[in-house]
Amino acid sequence: MINLFGVINESIQYVKGIGPKKAEKLNKLGIYTIKDLLYYFPRQFEDRSVIKKIAQLEDEEKVTVKALITNIESYTPKKGMTITRIDVKDDTGFAKLTFFNREYIKNTFRVGDSILAFGKVKKNGRFVELNSCELEYLSTSPKNIGKLVPVYPLSYGITNKDIMNTVRMVFENKDIKIPEYMPEYLLKKYRLCGIDYAIKNIHFPKDKESLKVALYRLIFEELLVLQLGLFMYKGGNSNEKGILFKRDQRLDEVLESLPFSLTRAQNRALNEIIDDMCSEKVMNRLVQGDVGSGKTVVALLALAECVFNGYQGALMAPTEILAQQHYESFTETFEDIGINVELLTGSVTKKQKEGILHRARDGEIDILIGTHALIEDNVEFKNIGLVITDEQHRFGVRQRGKLSSKGTSPDILVMTATPIPRTLALILYGDLDISIIDELPPGRQPIETIAVEKKKRDKVYNSLVRREVDKGRQVYIVCPLVEESESLDITSATETAEEIKRDFFPDLRVGLLHGKMKPSEKDAIMTAFKNHELDILVSTTVIEVGVNVPNSTLMIIENAERFGLAQLHQLRGRVGRGKHQSYCVLIYGSNSEVCRKRMGIMEETNDGFKISEKDLEIRGPGEFFGTMQHGVPELKVANLFKHMKILKTVQQEARIIIGEDSTLDFKEYRGLKREIESKFKDKIEKDITMN
Ligand code: ADP
Ligand code: MG
């Protein structure tokens, strides 16, 4: 250990007491170097700092006692078991400490010793006992008792003490210096402690305040590295030159021909989009709006603007049902204007497809709507100017990118109803500008939601379903699986449809829709439902996204406990799309606390943002990010939800930094840049090549 800066990058084996065997185990925890060890943070702390008098002890509490040993004895009640009992006293009373199979204690401690003991209190009248204690001599610098003690995530036979001792060894080595990579001015501006202090106190905090100070610095740093990394790697194309559109008068005519006027939020989003299109920068924009907020019409208007400027446009949707629906509403609006819209999905015939491909290449098609079929290699355009992805969370980053590669720098718009708190969206989509449609069209009444236990299911069907159908409304019933599975008590769509026709409503028109049906069959059913030739549609989650039948007012979800909150919210969004009061009934078959909590949230609010925050709270951001398939480095101390306030501060600062030095090559940022590079190392390749 000669080179001061090199030291922390040395192998963990250089630490005293770490042989090849232990090193190997540490490796399994991802600890290879001394630096890895120092950044292996405790999961939580056990608060052993509260020292109590014996007379004040309460049953069941875990606490530290300072006392004097008055007696020690050891006995063997049966073979292989030794019990050691130590009597202690302080100036308020007496207590017994009990140890199982820890004979060495008898040889380590003596009557008359002053000790610190940490353990769980068992109190019975005046009889006080401390079980499975940790014991230490009272000294001026107690090691593990009388303070906040780190609890590390463990496995592979590594104990908490192993890690504590190893970290302690490292700290005792005066050569160890952790280089400070945070620029001096940031430390000052945000009153952050130095890295040395932070690392020492995250492992062995002097007290609660020091821990707080250390944590703040580390959270700030982690978020800054994450945000700067995302800006640096994903924001690269922000200066790319694109098509210069001109706002066209005819757009106003389309606006006037709509059966409604746009909400303020829709107008704002549209203006932001048109402004982007009319600038020479390539548009890269996310439209985020809760279910039913009216994103489709915004997409329609943007595409109209594109076509008026002489370019083609494309709209990709995740399901055939949705693509079909968009196609129908677009043709209705564009028929008289002479904009030619066509539909390309997996279910068009070979011959039809050839025609479509031909017309797209020739520029005869103005707007091509479709599913994944749009990104197949043989789909080419004459001059594509705008590509839109609906419900973009259903597509990977790669697919999104593939659609835009069908032209030279077309503008890009992606739409999502997955409500992500704004700051999170910024983190996730660091490369996108965001428009938020945070207002529902007027006249919508909030959907009334109730959650009921399974045993009340019959009642729901007999009263609610009947009532809505009698009023001339339509009903969705969603089930988790297609076919009955024997092992799980899950109501399947097929069975439910049968049952409903047979046992509940022989007089009503009941349809069935699921993902295993042929596209043409799905189509026929959806069309029938739309035309009110069906009263009840029993379905799997294929209707989750986008489907729009304003006359349906009741959504029943079977086995609601099987769905995520965001998904329940999406499903619920299939009703409440017209002027009629709508209802959602969640039928659940679990009595767990988590289930009741989740159902409660759904009953309480219709606000997708709130729901997604709660979801995040319950599931934790790790899983949240997991499902978002995004290559962001794992966070150790920061929690994007809990530390939203710090995140906001960090984002502001990161914008300033990137604005001044987009590649972080200034001398003061070099340390930070190295951190970013190492954290993003393997993530970059995966994610960036997709873009
Ligand atoms: P989403 O944002 O979930 O995709 P849609 O675009 O499907 O929502 O719109 C939901 C419903 O609201 C549709 O029936 C649409 O015609 C209607 N709608 C959209 N904008 C308005 C508006 N400004 N006023 C009234 N109804 C609207
Ligand atoms: Mg939609």
Side-chain angles (χ1 to χ4, degrees):
M1 295 190 189
I2 321 128
N3 171 346
L4 281 192
F5 281 98
V7 167
I8 68 161
N9 290 320
E10 295 288 2
S11 157
I12 193 74
Q13 269 205 56
Y14 284 79
V15 180
K16 215 161 104 189
I18 301 291
K21 253 205 181 135
K22 220 165 224 172
E24 202 176 300
K25 283 185 183 171
L26 287 170
N27 290 170
K28 284 194 181 154
L29 292 177
I31 301 171
Y32 295 90
T33 63
I34 294 176
K35 183 173 177 188
D36 294 337
L37 176 74
L38 293 177
Y39 278 80
Y40 196 76
F41 298 150
R43 188 161 38 86
Q44 63 190 63
F45 290 86
E46 193 161 73
D47 186 356
R48 301 183 181 180
S49 62
V50 184
I51 299 182
K52 274 193 166 183
K53 295 283 187 195
I54 291 175
Q56 301 167 335
L57 298 183
E58 277 163 43
D59 198 26
E60 294 286 309
E61 73 176 326
K62 283 183 124 186
V63 72
T64 305
V65 172
K66 186 158 62 171
L68 186 79
I69 297 181
T70 56
N71 186 38
I72 303 181
E73 61 188 40
S74 204
Y75 61 100
T76 309
K78 61 179 183 193
K79 222 178 145 199
M81 184 198 250
T82 316
I83 295 180
T84 308
R85 286 190 187 280
I86 299 185
D87 294 326
V88 297
K89 67 165 189 187
D90 67 6
D91 51 8
T92 68
F94 301 90
K96 244 184 202 341
L97 315 179
T98 313
F99 304 87
F100 294 95
N101 292 336
R102 278 157 73 182
E103 281 150 271
Y104 64 89
I105 291 210
K106 199 177 168 211
N107 304 320
T108 319
F109 294 91
R110 298 269 178 275
V111 172
D113 285 345
S114 285
I115 50 104
L116 282 174
F118 174 82
K120 195 170 167 189
V121 177
K122 220 170 94 185
K123 196 169 176 180
N124 196 350
R126 284 183 54 204
F127 181 75
V128 179
E129 197 177 0
L130 250 70
N131 280 324
S132 330
C133 286
E134 295 230 11
L135 207 54
E136 257 186 48
Y137 290 112
L138 183 64
S139 70
T140 42
S141 56
K143 267 187 170 168
N144 298 330
I145 306 184
K147 42 171 70 176
L148 292 168
V149 173
V151 181
Y152 295 94
L154 300 167
S155 54
Y156 308 111
I158 293 276
T159 67
N160 209 50
K161 280 229 171 95
D162 282 338
I163 300 200
M164 280 172 72
N165 290 337
T166 318
V167 173
R168 216 176 254 128
M169 287 301 301
V170 171
F171 285 156
E172 275 166 18
N173 184 332
K174 295 276 173 290
D175 287 342
I176 299 287
K177 256 220 162 68
I178 308 160
E180 177 64 76
Y181 33 79
M182 192 71 90
E184 181 76 32
Y185 83 92
L186 285 180
L187 292 178
K188 284 220 178 88
K189 185 166 171 188
Y190 295 102
R191 298 163 174 272
L192 305 172
C193 69
I195 189 66
D196 244 348
Y197 183 92
I199 293 288
K200 282 203 171 117
N201 279 282
I202 191 83
H203 290 284
F204 302 120
K206 209 166 88 236
D207 48 36
K208 284 181 190 154
E209 192 53 35
S210 320
L211 176 62
K212 233 169 102 184
V213 170
L215 262 174
Y216 183 75
R217 141 89 205 216
L218 293 169
I219 291 166
F220 191 100
E221 160 189 330
E222 189 164 58
L223 292 174
L224 184 65
V225 165
L226 174 67
Q227 186 65 82
L228 281 175
L230 283 168
F231 282 162
M232 209 162 90
Y233 293 118
K234 306 186 89 185
N237 56 2
S238 57
N239 294 322
E240 198 185 331
K241 289 231 163 92
I243 301 160
L244 206 57
F245 291 96
K246 284 212 171 57
R247 186 176 167 121
D248 195 285
Q249 293 287 309
R250 283 171 288 179
L251 196 60
D252 298 325
E253 288 160 33
V254 181
L255 271 165
E256 255 153 54
S257 75
L258 294 174
F260 45 73
S261 47
L262 296 188
T263 63
R264 255 183 330 192
Q266 282 171 319
N267 253 319
R268 193 176 55 224
L270 179 65
N271 285 333
E272 284 166 354
I273 292 164
I274 302 287
D275 282 352
D276 276 2
M277 290 174 72
C278 295
S279 85
E280 63 173 18
K281 187 184 132 210
V282 171
M283 172 166 73
N284 214 0
R285 185 170 284 278
L286 171 74
V287 175
Q288 185 182 300
D290 208 347
V291 276
S293 61
K295 294 182 291 293
T296 315
V297 71
V298 174
L300 176 144
L301 291 161
L303 284 165
E305 163 77 3
C306 166
V307 174
F308 292 146
N309 275 270
Y311 289 90
Q312 294 171 287
L315 172 64
M316 180 163 72
T319 65
E320 289 208 11
I321 294 173
L322 197 49
Q324 174 79 30
Q325 181 181 292
H326 286 332
Y327 171 72
E328 281 162 17
S329 70
F330 275 47
T331 25
E332 202 179 308
T333 312
F334 288 140
E335 221 158 30
D336 306 334
I337 309 175
I339 291 180
N340 179 25
V341 185
E342 296 210 31
L343 178 68
L344 176 65
T345 64
S347 60
V348 297
T349 63
K350 220 173 156 194
K351 197 151 168 243
Q352 285 171 321
K353 188 171 173 182
E354 268 166 30
I356 294 170
L357 293 183
H358 184 84
R359 289 193 294 280
R361 225 180 356 252
D362 274 8
E364 257 177 78
I365 296 176
D366 297 315
I367 298 172
L368 187 57
I369 296 176
T371 53
H372 296 79
L374 287 188
I375 53 178
E376 280 168 21
D377 289 336
N378 52 10
V379 180
E380 290 165 40
F381 293 88
K382 187 172 175 214
N383 60 348
I384 193 153
L386 173 64
V387 298
I388 303 184
T389 314
D390 191 16
E391 304 296 349
Q392 84 88 33
H393 64 284
R394 288 294 199 95
F395 296 99
V397 190
R398 197 199 312 247
Q399 289 166 321
R400 189 176 99 198
K402 210 159 172 196
L403 187 56
S404 58
S405 69
K406 302 235 171 252
T408 28
S409 314
D411 280 338
I412 298 166
L413 193 64
V414 298
M415 308 198 289
T416 187
T418 300
I420 308 160
R422 190 184 176 102
T423 34
L424 285 194
L426 274 173
I427 277 271
L428 284 170
Y429 307 110
D431 57 340
L432 297 183
D433 295 309
I434 302 176
S435 294
I436 295 186
I437 306 185
D438 53 2
E439 182 185 359
L440 294 180
R444 295 270 177 82
Q445 288 145 313
I447 302 161
E448 252 177 59
T449 302
I450 49 163
V452 300
E453 284 175 80
K454 212 165 194 163
K455 58 179 186 236
K456 300 210 178 116
R457 176 169 177 260
D458 287 10
K459 209 169 149 204
V460 171
Y461 281 166
N462 286 324
S463 56
L464 268 179
V465 175
R466 179 61 74 182
R467 190 189 75 194
E468 288 307 297
V469 173
D470 281 351
K471 280 196 277 189
R473 303 285 86 79
Q474 289 162 279
V475 178
Y476 293 105
I477 299 172
V478 174
C479 310
L481 288 180
V482 186
E483 275 151 40
E484 197 72 53
S485 105
E486 289 193 8
S487 54
L488 294 166
D489 182 24
I490 292 167
T491 322
S492 77
T494 314
E495 284 270 319
T496 306
E498 293 289 314
E499 182 197 357
I500 282 176
K501 261 190 273 190
R502 193 183 54 226
D503 301 343
F504 289 96
F505 309 110
D507 56 321
L508 299 185
R509 301 162 300 176
V510 180
L512 171 66
L513 182 76
H514 60 72
K516 289 193 182 158
M517 287 161 59
K518 279 201 209 111
S520 57
E521 290 171 333
K522 279 195 244 173
D523 240 35
I525 291 285
M526 260 338 279
T527 311
F529 191 66
K530 253 183 210 167
N531 297 339
H532 203 169
E533 288 152 19
L534 293 171
D535 302 301
I536 300 173
L537 182 63
V538 181
S539 164
T540 58
T541 52
V542 288
I543 57 130
E544 177 189 334
V545 285
V547 168
N548 188 36
V549 182
N551 189 48
S552 42
T553 51
L554 176 56
M555 163 63 67
I556 295 175
I557 303 175
E558 299 264 7
N559 288 98
E561 75 277 3
R562 308 255 314 165
F563 299 94
L565 288 190
Q567 201 178 11
L568 287 177
H569 182 62
Q570 273 280 350
L571 286 166
R572 173 167 67 183
R574 297 313 107 218
V575 297
R577 305 193 136 240
K579 52 186 185 296
H580 311 289
Q581 173 62 51
S582 294
Y583 308 88
C584 173
V585 183
L586 307 170
I587 300 177
Y588 61 93
S590 154
N591 245 328
S592 76
E593 162 125 22
V594 174
C595 170
R596 276 199 304 270
K597 221 161 135 189
R598 298 169 74 233
M599 297 299 130
I601 293 166
M602 294 302 295
E603 287 181 315
E604 230 167 73
T605 179
N606 268 295
D607 182 335
F609 282 80
K610 270 202 197 121
I611 289 172
S612 111
E613 283 193 351
K614 292 279 183 193
D615 213 14
L616 203 61
E617 216 171 48
I618 294 175
R619 289 192 297 164
E623 204 177 318
F624 192 84
F625 271 131
T627 57
M628 308 294 303
Q629 318 166 312
H630 259 269
V632 284
E634 186 201 349
L635 296 172
K636 283 183 176 166
V637 280
N639 174 320
L640 295 177
F641 181 70
K642 242 168 69 190
H643 304 130
M644 197 69 89
K645 250 175 93 181
I646 307 179
L647 179 57
K648 281 183 184 164
T649 311
V650 163
Q651 281 177 336
Q652 262 175 4
E653 190 61 45
R655 277 194 191 286
I656 300 174
I657 294 174
I658 285 290
E660 284 170 352
D661 180 10
S662 64
T663 50
L664 299 185
D665 284 324
F666 291 179
K667 198 166 150 223
E668 56 192 343
Y669 298 133
R670 262 186 220 154
L672 266 178
K673 186 172 182 177
R674 255 198 306 273
E675 284 303 298
I676 293 167
E677 281 170 345
S678 82
K679 285 241 169 92
F680 277 78
K681 200 169 49 199
D682 27 290
K683 310 284 179 192
I684 303 162
E685 278 164 21
K686 254 193 277 158
D687 208 43
I688 298 303
T689 47
M690 282 184 190
N691 267 315

